[in-house]
Amino acid sequence: MKSVFRNAKITFATVLRRILCGLSIVAVASCASNSEPVESKSNAENPVIENIMARRSIRQYKQQAVARDTMNLILECGINAPNGQNKQSWEVRVVDNKATLDKIKELMSEGRDMNVGSCFRNAPVMTFIARDKSYDFSAYDCGLLAENMMLSATSLGVGSICLGSPVRFIMDSPRKDDILSMLGFSEGYELCLCVGFGYPNESPAAKPRDWNKVKFID
Ligand SMILES: Cc1cc2nc3c(=O)[nH]c(=O)nc-3n(C[C@H](O)[C@H](O)[C@H](O)COP(=O)(O)O)c2cc1C
């Protein structure tokens, strides 16, 4: 793993430093009493917040491979996500081989009028995340792992897209068993989420967020 950190464009120490920088702001905020306003830092002053705000779902990719060292760093960030009881109730399969991904898309499309393979948004690397069915919080664990991967990818200049539709298409597919056997998840795990990665060929604007869904309760 050390070589991964050494070779990646950004070192794990840098990622860690950025995360710690974000945590120190949270700590400052939580030390203050409710009545004392906490001075907020602008995005430009805080690389963690800047990175969170810069992440967007990418649906147009350059067909340029993402180096395995870079993917390994992204995956390392993923498995360091908080997770219930440290059960790490996920399994991840990474497909960065075009022929293998094309085969999965072909199987998914079989017996259907449409090319459901386009639901991968043409991302050259696809991760398939499965959850441990025996753990009731495993879907959250998988979501947190996915978010850590997407945020670390953003910080490395790699675009990402979280995808639910391929899960539906695979689970509804007459070739479901063949696809799942290619992915080789352990017994007791079920496909939960896909996340695609690649170098972005678009820079979409942020979609509006609804602050009415957030309230402080006094
Ligand atoms: C659980 C989940 C499932 C998603 N499924 C899809 C999908 O199937 N296809 C797609 O294009 N985007 C999908 N997205 C991406 C969302 O559409 C996107 O995150 C949302 O519109 C907000 O845009 P942003 O990520 O650029 O901020 C999914 C996101 C999540 C979290």
Side-chain angles (χ1 to χ4, degrees):
M1 201 66 240
K2 267 184 190 147
S3 65
V4 169
F5 298 144
R6 252 202 311 273
N7 295 340
K9 270 200 249 164
I10 186 169
T11 61
F12 184 66
T14 309
V15 172
L16 199 63
R17 214 170 27 248
R18 289 180 174 187
I19 290 168
L20 288 175
C21 172
L23 285 178
S24 66
I25 285 173
V26 173
V28 168
S30 52
C31 285
S33 77
N34 283 348
S35 55
E36 287 170 28
V38 177
E39 198 179 315
S40 65
K41 294 219 169 221
S42 78
N43 299 349
E45 288 170 9
N46 185 303
V48 175
I49 294 175
E50 190 184 8
N51 189 57
I52 289 169
M53 299 308 286
R55 183 215 55 81
R56 298 272 69 92
S57 291
I58 300 299
R59 296 182 176 86
Q60 311 267 351
Y61 291 92
K62 295 175 181 155
Q63 287 310 297
Q64 174 190 347
V66 181
R68 285 214 171 163
D69 277 355
T70 306
M71 278 312 301
N72 277 329
L73 181 55
I74 291 168
L75 291 157
E76 175 75 5
C77 290
I79 61 172
N80 272 279
N83 64 94
Q85 298 170 39
N86 198 30
K87 282 176 181 281
Q88 303 168 56
S89 63
W90 48 56
E91 281 191 355
V92 184
R93 300 291 178 259
V94 186
V95 181
D96 61 357
N97 177 302
K98 188 174 174 331
T100 308
L101 197 52
D102 284 348
K103 181 69 193 167
I104 293 173
K105 291 178 195 175
E106 186 190 308
L107 289 172
M108 280 168 70
S109 298
E110 238 181 68
R112 289 175 160 131
D113 289 342
M114 56 192 285
N115 173 17
V116 296
S118 62
C119 68
F120 288 124
R121 305 293 185 192
N122 225 21
V125 183
M126 192 54 52
T127 57
F128 297 83
I129 304 168
R131 71 172 200 96
D132 179 347
K133 287 193 285 183
S134 72
Y135 182 45
D136 53 352
F137 286 133
S138 60
Y140 306 114
D141 288 350
C142 292
L144 290 163
L145 168 130
E147 179 68 340
N148 262 22
M149 291 203 298
M150 290 186 282
L151 290 177
S152 55
T154 305
S155 79
L156 296 166
V158 175
S160 63
I161 176 99
C162 186
L163 294 166
S165 52
V167 176
R168 292 204 178 120
F169 286 129
I170 290 172
M171 299 317 274
D172 289 350
S173 162
R175 302 298 300 271
K176 171 182 144 183
D177 291 344
D178 299 298
I179 299 167
L180 291 177
S181 92
M182 281 177 80
L183 296 173
F185 292 116
S186 302
E187 189 68 34
Y189 279 75
E190 77 178 1
L191 186 61
C192 176
L193 207 52
C194 298
V195 183
F197 296 94
Y199 289 97
N201 212 8
E202 63 164 355
S203 354
K207 292 181 182 169
R209 261 43 179 194
D210 182 2
W211 263 99
N212 289 321
K213 290 177 181 284
V214 184
K215 287 188 171 46
F216 284 92
I217 305 298
D218 288 323

